[in-house]
Amino acid sequence: MSAFDLRGRTALITGSSRGIGNALAQGLLEAGARVVVHGRSRSAAERAAAELGDKTGGTTWATAFDVTNAAAVEQGVHEIEEVWGTPDILVNNAGIQRRTPFLDFPDADWDDLIATNLTSAFLVGKHVARGMAKRGSGKIINIGSVQSRLARPGIAAYGATKGGIAMLTQGMCADLAGFGIQANALAPGYFATELTAALVADEQFTQWVAGRTPAGRWGRVEDLVGALVFLSSSASDFVNGQVLYVDGGMTAVV
Ligand code: NDP
């Protein structure tokens, strides 16, 4: 199993102060990596980093910057590089959701979604990949969604960002493979987190998720860890530009 061993590797996971990113951080820590825990709120990131360190016995460090702000991203990545060097693994996970029927969708929500879910992966990806390219190795994992491929009413803008993530991933592969970098996307189905709390509480929606997912249930954040460790490790050194759906089979069936 040494191909999956992450001991000695450093990972930056954006938006790991809670939710899916936090579970991904725990998974990489348990596989041996040391992890930079991140969010906009420094206190939340510090609290999460301390909790993850206690839980796993692994090494964590907390940082905070807004992934939509180019100058803040450049400064934030620079600070990480000064402490731990360029990360071996970057997980572009920070993201938001906004729901409104298309005809009334607020322009400001469109801009927020594009900036937080898509521009962020370009900005953080570019600054981290520059160091990875110099070193000649790196793993970039962009978090997509079943909405990278499938639409739902009320979330056209979110779907546009996640479809964009799939093509950004292929573009990163095209530009970065020659530098020894693999860029892939991990695309979760419906997972119970803060982002989906209102949907989980909605009995009708939960019934729809169970019926529409061949596995018959919401995803549990731990369900994502095996795929993430694979994409972060040398086990995936010849896998590049792919979208791996971890969705209980949802995108395989109509
Ligand atoms: P949460 O809302 O639980 O967590 C979002 C994280 O991102 C927090 O750590 C938050 O920290 C951080 N964040 C948000 N905006 C910014 C910003 N501008 N700059 C820096 N950090 C930011 O979301 P989830 O865990 O549910 O979602 C994580 C990812 O998984 C997203 O990309 C989402 O689209 C994707 N996903 C989620 C699914 C689900 O079912 N939940 C399904 C498929 C994909 P802070 O608030 O301090 O900034």
Side-chain angles (χ1 to χ4, degrees):
M1 296 302 281
S2 61
F4 293 91
D5 190 355
L6 297 181
R7 275 176 295 184
R9 312 271 171 95
T10 299
L12 164 62
I13 306 179
T14 66
S16 44
S17 58
R18 63 172 187 268
I20 285 179
N22 194 265
L24 299 180
Q26 182 171 337
L28 291 192
L29 283 159
E30 284 169 352
R34 55 184 187 175
V35 173
V36 182
V37 179
H38 162 270
R40 256 169 319 186
S41 157
R42 183 169 293 278
S43 57
E46 282 173 352
R47 211 169 31 247
E51 280 168 13
L52 284 165
D54 287 347
K55 221 189 275 183
T56 63
T59 307
T60 58
W61 184 68
T63 191
F65 55 86
D66 185 339
V67 291
T68 69
N69 178 323
V73 169
E74 185 169 9
Q75 175 64 22
V77 172
H78 179 67
E79 278 171 22
I80 293 166
E81 288 179 325
E82 282 196 326
V83 177
W84 276 355
T86 297
D88 300 287
I89 302 157
L90 165 64
V91 184
N92 279 314
N93 164 79
I96 56 170
Q97 176 62 291
R98 300 267 196 277
R99 294 184 179 84
T100 308
F102 186 78
L103 295 178
D104 299 318
F105 205 88
D107 297 350
D109 282 355
W110 168 270
D111 290 342
D112 284 352
L113 279 160
I114 297 286
T116 310
N117 296 4
L118 186 56
T119 307
S120 61
F122 162 70
L123 291 174
V124 184
K126 183 173 67 171
H127 287 292
V128 173
R130 284 178 176 163
M132 290 175 166
K134 261 190 219 142
R135 187 180 52 218
S137 69
K139 299 276 182 184
I140 299 177
I141 297 102
N142 298 316
I143 301 301
S145 160
V146 293
Q147 271 81 39
S148 295
R149 193 196 278 179
L150 301 173
R152 286 268 308 155
I155 55 167
Y158 180 83
T161 67
K162 293 300 181 178
I165 281 288
M167 276 313 295
L168 177 66
T169 301
Q170 291 186 218
M172 285 176 164
C173 166
D175 274 37
L176 302 175
F179 295 101
I181 298 169
Q182 291 83 50
N184 292 288
L186 181 58
Y190 282 82
F191 280 69
T193 65
E194 276 178 40
L195 200 71
T196 53
L199 297 178
V200 177
D202 179 337
E203 219 169 281
Q204 219 180 339
F205 194 87
T206 287
Q207 257 174 24
W208 175 81
V209 167
R212 180 64 184 80
T213 308
R217 62 167 173 85
W218 283 89
R220 304 180 190 108
V221 282
E222 314 83 75
D223 290 325
L224 293 166
V225 169
L228 177 70
V229 170
F230 168 61
L231 294 177
S232 302
S233 68
S234 49
S236 61
D237 279 354
F238 203 54
V239 178
N240 213 340
Q242 303 302 307
V243 181
L244 178 50
Y245 288 90
V246 180
D247 63 356
M250 184 180 257
T251 48
V253 300
V254 287

